[in-house]
């Protein structure tokens, strides 16, 4: 059966009882102030994510041992708002039950970009076509003329939680960063346009390997946990440059890799960059990426 429109997470904005289905993205046992154990869940459907808690009369660990994460459950409980008038909603679960495949519609739980995938991809391809720097143009074409890579790039998420965390999120985020960079180049014509656009398109390419995902769940891969997507992105680009044997000038290679490795901003911020952004293009890319991620993250809440 299909979920009712009022029961999608984006519409859980009033205190009321509910009986509907969600994906249990994660479950943990926590301890309340009174010393009793309770369960905390992250629930998802195609419209978003919400926190839920269950305060059982029986042993919380026994219930936890029966939970299969990434599966779809019927949830009965109450939508709660705390503090009152905060618009911060969560679910207090009374009981839950795993659903068989014939008791739900998978389309209710597949989170996808609302933007047209072909239009987004065309924006990247048109940008590459208009580039004058032959080295950067060839580098980007080597990625986007590969059907397997392009398919993965168009379906991958951009994050597990914070922003663009759905099928097609990486493509959407990359194009939005590219669009912000276009505006920056109009304001600051001194910027190396082709270099900055290359950074915008490839800065998160390592997320293809940094996440394990399917239609209803996103997890950080072991490679992502141990290496982080900035390093993986730089490694993928460096490997592609070496494979092409196109004699890209060392200085240009360094500039491209610097864009990728510094795009999370100053090292002291602790956001993962191993080096501070030191060039105008690197500074521009960092702020474009940060702006898109933060604005999108605030809209998704």
């Amino acid at each position: 059966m299909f979920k009712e429109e009022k029961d999608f997470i984006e519409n859980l904005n009033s205190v009321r009882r509910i009986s509907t289905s969600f994906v249990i993205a994660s479950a943990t046992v926590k301890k309340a102030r009174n010393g009793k154990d309770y369960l905390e869940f992250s629930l998802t459907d195609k419209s978003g994510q919400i926190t839920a808690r269950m305060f059982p009369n029986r042993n919380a660990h026994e219930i936890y041992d029966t939970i299969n994460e990434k599966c779809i459950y019927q949830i009965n409980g109450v939508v709660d708002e705390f503090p009152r008038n905060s618009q911060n909603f969560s679910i207090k679960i009374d009981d839950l039950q795993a659903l068989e495949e014939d008791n739900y519609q998978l389309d209710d739980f597949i989170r996808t970009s609302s933007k047209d995938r072909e239009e987004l991809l065309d924006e990247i391809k048109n940008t590459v076509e208009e580039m004058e720097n032959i080295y950067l143009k060839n580098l980007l074409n080597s990625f986007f003329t590969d059907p397997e890579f392009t398919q993965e790039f168009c379906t991958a998420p951009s994050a597990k939680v914070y922003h663009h965390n759905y099928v097609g999120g990486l493509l959407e985020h990359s194009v939005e960063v590219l669009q912000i960079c276009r505006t920056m180049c109009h304001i600051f014509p001194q910027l190396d346009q082709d270099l900055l656009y290359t950074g915008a398109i490839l800065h998160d390419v390592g997320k293809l390997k940094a996440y394990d995902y399917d239609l209803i769940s996103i997890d950080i891969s072991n490679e992502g946990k141990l290496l982080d997507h900035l390093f993986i992105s730089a490694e993928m680009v460096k490997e592609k440059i070496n494979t092409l044997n196109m004699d890209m000038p060392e200085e240009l290679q360094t500039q491209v890799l610097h864009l990728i490795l510094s795009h999370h901003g100053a090292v002291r911020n602790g956001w993962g960059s191993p080096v501070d952004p030191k060039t105008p293009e690197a500074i521009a890319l960092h702020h474009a990426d940060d702006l898109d991620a933060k604005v999108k993250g605030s809209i998704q809440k």
Side-chain angles (χ1 to χ4, degrees), residues 61-254:
H61 287 275
E62 289 182 2
I63 298 175
Y64 173 79
D65 290 339
T66 68
I67 299 296
N68 292 313
E69 294 183 354
K70 319 306 179 191
C71 291
I72 297 171
Y73 281 72
Q74 180 72 19
I75 303 289
N76 299 310
V78 176
V79 179
D80 192 22
E81 181 185 22
F82 184 83
R84 292 304 178 200
N85 301 316
S86 66
Q87 295 296 301
N88 182 25
F89 292 95
S90 61
I91 298 174
K92 184 178 179 181
I93 297 175
D94 295 329
D95 60 77
L96 48 79
Q97 181 179 2
L99 292 177
E100 300 294 332
E101 288 187 14
D102 56 356
N103 287 327
Y104 60 81
Q105 296 290 333
L106 187 58
D107 287 346
D108 287 339
F109 306 96
I110 301 173
R111 302 186 64 199
T112 61
S113 170
S114 61
K115 296 188 175 182
D116 186 280
R117 191 175 302 179
E118 289 301 320
E119 289 183 5
L120 294 174
L121 186 58
D122 283 345
E123 179 148 2
I124 288 178
K125 291 182 175 179
N126 291 338
T127 299
V128 176
E129 181 63 29
E130 293 168 0
M131 284 186 174
E132 296 180 0
N133 187 307
I134 191 63
Y135 298 107
L136 298 177
K137 188 171 188 174
N138 287 343
L139 172 63
L140 287 162
N141 275 328
S142 70
F143 280 106
F144 288 95
T145 55
D146 179 343
E148 184 176 347
F149 168 86
T150 303
Q151 175 64 23
E152 288 185 40
F153 191 87
C154 288
T155 55
S158 186
K160 179 179 178 180
V161 176
Y162 300 109
H163 68 94
H164 300 85
N165 52 331
Y166 40 74
V167 172
L170 176 60
L171 173 63
E172 181 181 317
H173 170 60
S174 299
V175 171
E176 288 170 356
V177 172
L178 175 62
Q179 291 169 338
I180 294 170
C181 288
R182 286 191 191 283
T183 300
M184 288 181 167
C185 286
H186 285 301
I187 298 171
F188 304 107
Q190 302 91 338
L191 291 169
D192 184 326
Q193 179 175 294
D194 287 359
L195 177 62
L196 181 56
Y197 293 175
T198 299
I201 295 168
L202 296 179
H203 74 283
D204 274 348
V205 70
K207 289 183 175 179
L208 296 185
K209 298 182 180 181
Y211 293 109
D212 291 326
Y213 63 95
D214 54 31
L215 293 178
I216 60 175
S217 66
I218 303 169
D219 277 318
I220 301 175
S221 67
N222 191 55
E223 189 174 358
K225 291 174 184 175
L226 296 179
L227 298 179
D228 193 83
H229 76 275
L230 280 82
F231 175 83
I232 299 170
S233 297
E235 184 180 50
M236 289 174 66
V237 171
K238 180 66 172 175
E239 182 179 333
K240 181 68 73 172
I241 291 171
N242 292 339
T243 301
L244 290 174
N245 291 321
M246 59 180 177
D247 296 322
M248 179 185 287
E250 287 290 335
E251 174 61 23
L252 183 58
Q253 292 186 42
T254 301

